[in-house]
Amino acid sequence: MIKKFISRLLGKGAGEGAAAPAAAVPAAPPPPRIPIGRRVEVPVAEHGIDPDLLDERAVRVVRTLQQAGHQAYIVGGAVRDLLVGRRPKDFDVATDATPEQVKALFRRAFIIGRRFRIVHVIHGRGRDHEVIEVSTFRAYMDSSEAMQVEGNEKTHKAALAGSAHAVDASGRVLRDNVWGPQIEDAARRDFTVNAMYYDPSTQIVVDYHGGLADVKARLLRLIGDPSVRYREDPVRIVRAVRFAAKLGFGFEEKTGAPIKELAPLLANVPISRLFDEMIKLLQTGHALASIEALKAHDLHRSIFPVLDAVYDEVRSTPQQQEFIRMALADTDRRVAEGRPVAPSFLLACLLWHDVLAGWRRNQAAGEHLVPALQQAVDAVFDARIGDISGRGKLGAEMREVWMMQPRFERRQTNTAYALIEQARFRAGFDFLRLRADVGEAPVELAEWWEDFSLGTDEEREALLAAVRESHRGGARKSGAARAAKPAAPGADLPAGADEDAGTAAEGGSDGSAGGAATAPARKRRRRRRKPAGGGDGGPSGEAAPAAA
């Protein structure tokens, strides 16, 4: 017996000792619960990251953590973008320090989040401020180890309050705040290309799952079983499409296969997360490619309410589709040029034709011009955006852009000078120009406002004088026509317009293509009611209240 044991221990063959009975051979160990990976340190000579693409503030955060005795790395999408030679838009940091330890090291740092507790380290103030997101290394735990919750974040808030790791019935992670080693933190990340860590001090990239090889192969690969990983967080489905469009990567076969089947899981994701993901998708500089990728996977319907409005084949027209295409192309161009992109402007473009349809319906029902537009805007916010951002700053900026459109048609002295002083004038004008480019508004109207906004005082007065003269000429012609054939009562007013709604004769009452400078209708002399705060279009000369 002892000889047999020694033989097996020393690896002797059958001729050097009797082989153990088959039943005594130990079974193969079970496969690992997770693909834990193996730490590989990649030197700069191999990964080739350009230090000039790094963000100085992110590097400072890493070094502060390291000087305090913690591990700290730039992580995730920033490393992925650096490897393909892109300057990342955002820099995230991962560390072994707890959120409380991180917060203690920085003067302006805030712990946020319930699902994932992270720290926002803030540099600068105002528009120039920058947020560096710092997360603590997390342990990888599968759903069998988590607290099971039948409902979701809203229906089981009390049960989740003291939980560090919880999932719902579908396996979606509701809480993930169990700290662990870096090797497990890498395993719990979604794609191999997002699971690398870069130390700016040593210029070493730490790679556990072959992410660098996948970057070079331009391939998106989920870590672990794709079905399980999508169930843990269905938003990964949208992220996969976004990354593929942004980077021009393809899907590894197993990663792409379950997308259509598991897309219904997105219905359980909080609308706020989907809204944020949609904004990212449209503002990466590859909005057109992202939309096409969503279409290819049949994800452009019933996922994002905003996109449902855009891709409604029943109501959509070629003109509307061209308007959207040009808006997305313009956003991509601005991102490529390094210019800022306002999500409010792009959302205003995407939802404009929903607003326009409601505006026309309200006017046809007898509502006045401006109230009809305000009601249409409110209805679209309720239907397409809900309580996410429609009542905050984003919604206020969208409203301003829309409410400026009828004011552009009122080219009177007080109105014109007040309008160009508006903080959102440029956005409103860009919107008008886009409408003119697709034939929805007169090109001459957009050109007039461009000349007026850029002109000297003398040039502006000449432009206003030309409009007045044009209207006088139109009024004389209309007077002659009335003398020849009296018009029916009210026939000279567009539907839904009245004395106080605006000078509808200067453009279409629905904000679409109107007479403008090329074919002005006659000027009606109207009794002007003086608003409480003065001005032409509303209180204090504003187009309309900025927020609901």
Side-chain angles (χ1 to χ4, degrees):
M1 178 68 71
I2 294 175
K3 289 182 178 180
K4 291 180 179 179
F5 175 77
I6 294 174
S7 297
R8 288 201 303 271
L9 187 65
L10 297 177
K12 291 184 178 181
E16 299 176 277
V25 176
R33 169 177 65 88
I34 55 173
I36 203 67
R38 181 175 62 87
R39 181 184 176 98
V40 175
E41 295 187 355
V42 184
V44 65
E46 186 175 342
H47 63 67
I49 288 178
D50 182 359
D52 291 339
L53 296 177
L54 295 174
D55 181 277
E56 180 184 348
R57 292 166 172 175
V59 172
R60 197 181 313 154
V61 169
V62 170
R63 287 178 178 162
T64 299
L65 287 162
Q66 290 176 341
Q67 289 166 3
H70 299 290
Q71 298 178 54
Y73 300 83
I74 292 171
V75 69
V79 181
R80 178 201 66 220
D81 288 350
L82 289 168
L83 288 170
V84 296
R86 297 172 180 264
R87 184 181 298 276
K89 182 180 178 183
D90 300 304
F91 282 81
D92 297 337
V93 171
T95 178
D96 62 355
T98 65
E100 290 75 16
Q101 289 172 325
V102 174
K103 186 178 187 301
L105 291 173
F106 300 94
R107 185 169 59 86
R108 297 178 65 207
F110 305 91
I111 299 175
I112 67 165
R114 295 188 184 93
R115 183 170 180 265
F116 297 119
R117 292 182 71 231
I118 58 176
V119 180
H120 278 180
V121 178
I122 301 175
H123 295 273
R125 297 183 182 275
R127 290 188 175 184
D128 294 329
H129 86 285
E130 181 181 5
V131 176
I132 305 299
E133 189 173 286
V134 182
S135 62
T136 303
F137 294 153
R138 285 169 168 78
Y140 187 101
M141 301 176 68
D142 62 31
S143 58
S144 64
E145 300 172 293
M147 183 181 78
Q148 303 286 326
V149 175
E150 292 183 3
N152 56 35
E153 298 93 326
K154 292 185 177 180
T155 61
H156 282 67
K157 278 186 178 180
L160 290 169
S163 172
H165 188 217
V167 299
D168 68 8
S170 68
R172 182 168 66 91
V173 177
L174 304 180
R175 292 288 186 274
D176 186 6
N177 294 302
V178 180
W179 317 135
Q182 185 187 47
I183 192 170
E184 290 193 17
D185 186 75
R188 57 163 291 282
R189 293 180 180 272
D190 48 15
F191 300 97
T192 60
V193 298
N194 291 342
M196 290 177 283
Y197 304 77
Y198 177 68
D199 184 345
S201 300
T202 63
Q203 293 188 299
I204 292 293
V205 168
V206 179
D207 183 3
Y208 287 95
H209 296 279
L212 182 59
D214 283 342
V215 167
K216 292 180 177 179
R218 307 181 68 80
L219 200 63
L220 277 180
R221 182 194 310 271
L222 273 167
I223 299 170
D225 184 330
S227 294
V228 173
R229 305 312 302 275
Y230 286 138
R231 288 181 183 277
E232 288 176 348
D233 185 3
V235 171
R236 285 173 177 154
I237 294 172
V238 180
R239 285 165 58 85
V241 173
R242 174 163 65 88
F243 293 149
K246 174 184 177 180
L247 302 168
F249 283 16
F251 288 120
E252 180 264 336
E253 184 179 356
K254 293 181 180 179
T255 297
I259 287 180
K260 288 186 179 181
E261 176 190 351
L262 300 179
L265 293 174
L266 289 164
N268 295 326
V269 175
I271 191 171
S272 57
R273 285 197 69 207
L274 286 178
F275 188 86
D276 291 342
E277 197 64 35
M278 184 197 67
I279 294 297
K280 292 178 184 177
L281 185 143
L282 296 176
Q283 290 191 213
T284 59
H286 299 81
L288 284 171
S290 296
I291 293 296
E292 290 304 314
L294 287 176
K295 286 182 178 180
H297 292 88
D298 201 24
L299 297 174
H300 62 297
R301 299 185 190 88
S302 305
I303 305 297
F304 308 107
V306 171
L307 295 185
D308 287 344
V310 175
Y311 296 103
D312 184 345
E313 286 83 356
V314 175
R315 294 182 300 159
S316 181
T317 66
Q319 184 186 60
Q320 292 174 6
Q321 291 301 312
E322 180 62 11
F323 180 87
I324 298 301
R325 189 199 66 77
M326 292 183 67
L328 295 174
D330 184 66
T331 299
D332 289 347
R333 177 181 57 79
R334 291 179 67 89
V335 173
E337 294 172 355
R339 299 166 64 188
V341 177
S344 57
F345 182 84
L346 185 54
L347 287 173
C349 291
L350 295 178
L351 293 175
W352 166 241
H353 291 99
D354 252 21
V355 171
L356 185 58
W359 190 10
R360 288 169 173 165
R361 283 195 302 270
N362 294 341
Q363 287 182 268
E367 190 58 77
H368 294 169
L369 184 74
V370 173
L373 179 54
Q374 290 172 327
Q375 292 171 19
V377 170
D378 290 340
V380 169
F381 278 162
D382 290 339
R384 303 299 188 185
I385 298 181
D387 294 331
I388 302 306
S389 301
R391 301 299 183 261
K393 181 175 181 291
L394 186 64
E397 293 174 353
M398 293 166 63
R399 184 182 294 270
E400 287 183 77
V401 168
W402 288 329
M403 297 303 297
M404 277 187 193
Q405 300 312 300
R407 294 188 70 194
F408 281 122
E409 297 164 5
R410 302 181 61 190
R411 293 173 294 167
Q412 300 167 346
T413 301
N414 291 341
T415 303
Y417 279 103
L419 195 53
I420 63 173
E421 295 300 322
Q422 294 280 327
R424 301 288 299 167
F425 168 78
R426 187 68 207 183
F429 169 75
D430 287 344
F431 194 89
L432 173 66
R433 168 62 73 182
L434 194 60
R435 294 174 56 218
D437 287 344
V438 298
E440 186 183 289
V443 174
E444 294 81 0
L445 183 64
E447 291 177 345
W448 189 93
W449 277 103
E450 183 170 16
D451 292 341
F452 186 82
S453 65
L454 299 176
T456 63
D457 289 343
E458 292 78 9
E459 290 169 338
R460 289 175 176 176
E461 288 302 321
L463 288 165
L464 290 168
V467 170
R468 290 192 292 268
E469 181 59 31
S470 174
H471 292 160
R472 280 195 291 269
R476 286 193 294 270
K477 291 179 182 179
S478 297
R482 283 200 306 274
K485 183 177 180 180
D492 52 352
L493 282 174
D498 72 343
E499 292 182 345
D500 304 309
T503 322
E506 296 176 28
S509 65
D510 62 359
S512 59
T518 53
R522 71 181 182 284
K523 180 180 179 181
R524 288 177 53 83
R525 296 186 179 275
R526 294 177 175 148
R527 176 176 55 81
R528 298 181 62 192
R529 181 184 304 163
K530 293 183 179 180
D536 299 309
S540 302
E542 291 296 325

